[in-house]
Amino acid sequence: MAHYEDSQTQRAGARFIRRSMAEPMLSREHEFELATAWRKRQDEAALHELIRSYMRLVISSAMRFRHYGLPVNDLVQEGSVGLMQAAARFEPEREVRFSTYATWWIRSAIQDYILRNWSIVRTGTTASQKALFFNLRRLRAQIEEASGTSLDDTGRSKIARDLKVALSDVESMELRLSGSDQSLNATLNDEEETEWQDFLADDRAGPEDSTMYALDIQQRSRWLSEALECLDQRERAIIEARRLAEDEDVVTLETLGQRLGVSKERVRQLENRALGKLRAAVLDYSRAPANSCRRADGDFRQRIPRPFHAGGTTGDWPRAPAAGRWPQ
């Protein structure tokens, strides 16, 4: 992502840096007094003096990250936020210098800003990716300097081991760092109006293919709906519960057997027979649609609409006759 600063902004930033670097250093005793005054009495004057004295620490940290292509003034501002967060949480009674404690807050604030603004695409969403983003260039330079050649697969594997990340993550981050974001609306050159996006292939189906696919789906759904009318009530109940239900709503053979009053093996046989009828009926409709259904044995019978549907209550399930068995 491109970032620009005008000359006025650059001059203002330079003046701020010069004033900050001219602030006097704090002794350990005076630093303790200022930090204690702010922590216990909320003395803003003590806080301002503490912040101004350690602004040089922010500038030093910001300069280490200037090669990421972001304005130094923005890095300094983000580092200042980290410095103030450190001042708010610093505990002087622990006898630790404020600079040691504030360094981590300053670095964290600057790094978070870089990750948010370095690219339009979010980078470094995990701790391992964040470490890889900020250490890949340094480790790559060390390996290339030691070997005298460009980074190869062996060097990438070493970086992956050192940072405890996958080799694919190293390769992906290396590719990301190799170039900045480019606008797809940018022209190839000043003499042409052709844009980069004109060379992107569209993998989506065209209007004709989409229409043909939709019509094909509608036709198949119609054939299946008509073929279901070729089944008797029990066969249709089995097909709708076993084949047409959502994955989480599929009924087991044993459950169907209990509902229908038959064994689960008989349910499996009826399911296979119903699938054969459906297959034969769909083939018949695809060849010559007619108001009749073919049985699995090749005979025809009249289609009879049935009110049963898979989404009904338990009372909608066909039950075995009270004084006999289902026809086999």
Side-chain angles (χ1 to χ4, degrees), residues 34-47 87-88:
L34 295 175
T36 302
W38 164 246
R39 182 172 178 80
K40 294 183 177 181
R41 301 191 301 274
Q42 298 296 299
D43 188 343
E44 293 187 1
L47 174 64

Side-chain angles (χ1 to χ4, degrees), residues 120-149:
I120 296 176
V121 181
R122 176 69 174 175
T123 306
T125 55
T126 64
S128 59
Q129 291 178 349
K130 183 177 180 180
L132 179 60
F133 179 83
F134 288 107
N135 291 282
L136 178 58
R137 291 180 176 176
R138 175 179 57 82
L139 295 176
R140 181 175 59 187
Q142 293 176 357
I143 294 175
E144 290 177 349
E145 182 179 359
S147 62
T149 59

Side-chain angles (χ1 to χ4, degrees), residues 3 6 16 32 47 50 72 105 123 132 143 173-174 190 196 211 221 227 245-246 261 282 297:
H3 295 80
D6 55 28
F16 175 79
F32 181 83
L47 174 64
L50 185 67
V72 174
W105 284 94
T123 306
L132 179 60
I143 294 175
M173 187 63 69
E174 184 182 15
D190 297 335
W196 285 105
T211 302
S221 298
E246 298 292 339
V282 170
D297 55 8

Side-chain angles (χ1 to χ4, degrees), residues 120-254:
I120 296 176
V121 181
R122 176 69 174 175
T123 306
T125 55
T126 64
S128 59
Q129 291 178 349
K130 183 177 180 180
L132 179 60
F133 179 83
F134 288 107
N135 291 282
L136 178 58
R137 291 180 176 176
R138 175 179 57 82
L139 295 176
R140 181 175 59 187
Q142 293 176 357
I143 294 175
E144 290 177 349
E145 182 179 359
S147 62
T149 59
S150 59
L151 187 66
D152 54 11
D153 292 339
T154 303
R156 296 186 184 93
S157 299
K158 184 178 185 305
I159 292 176
R161 290 194 303 270
D162 292 343
L163 298 179
K164 298 180 180 180
V165 297
L167 178 60
S168 58
D169 291 339
V170 176
E171 295 173 346
S172 176
M173 187 63 69
E174 184 182 15
L175 183 62
R176 289 289 308 278
L177 293 175
S178 62
S180 59
D181 295 337
Q182 298 291 334
S183 173
L184 293 177
N185 296 110
T187 57
L188 298 181
N189 51 57
D190 297 335
E191 300 177 357
E192 299 183 16
E193 296 183 356
T194 304
E195 299 178 350
W196 285 105
Q197 65 178 359
D198 296 335
F199 295 92
L200 295 178
D202 189 356
D203 297 331
R204 297 175 299 178
E208 295 181 358
D209 294 335
S210 299
T211 302
M212 292 178 61
Y213 178 77
L215 292 176
D216 187 45
I217 292 297
Q218 293 177 4
Q219 182 65 49
R220 293 183 181 184
S221 298
R222 185 163 52 250
W223 286 345
L224 178 60
S225 178
E226 294 176 353
L228 286 172
E229 301 298 338
C230 301
L231 307 179
D232 60 38
Q233 190 176 8
R234 183 170 57 169
E235 291 171 341
R236 182 168 180 173
I238 294 174
I239 291 299
E240 291 184 339
R242 294 277 299 165
R243 302 289 179 170
L244 301 182
E246 298 292 339
D247 292 340
E248 62 272 10
D249 297 328
V250 173
V251 184
T252 63
L253 294 174
E254 184 176 0

Side-chain angles (χ1 to χ4, degrees), residues 70-91:
L70 298 174
V72 174
N73 291 337
D74 291 351
L75 298 179
V76 172
Q77 291 179 14
E78 292 297 322
S80 300
V81 174
L83 179 63
M84 289 185 287
Q85 290 177 339
R89 293 170 171 81
F90 182 59
E91 300 176 2

Side-chain angles (χ1 to χ4, degrees), residues 2-19:
H3 295 80
Y4 302 97
E5 286 183 317
D6 55 28
S7 57
Q8 184 177 0
T9 303
Q10 292 177 352
R11 288 195 297 270
R15 288 196 299 269
F16 175 79
I17 291 176
R18 286 196 298 270
R19 289 198 303 269

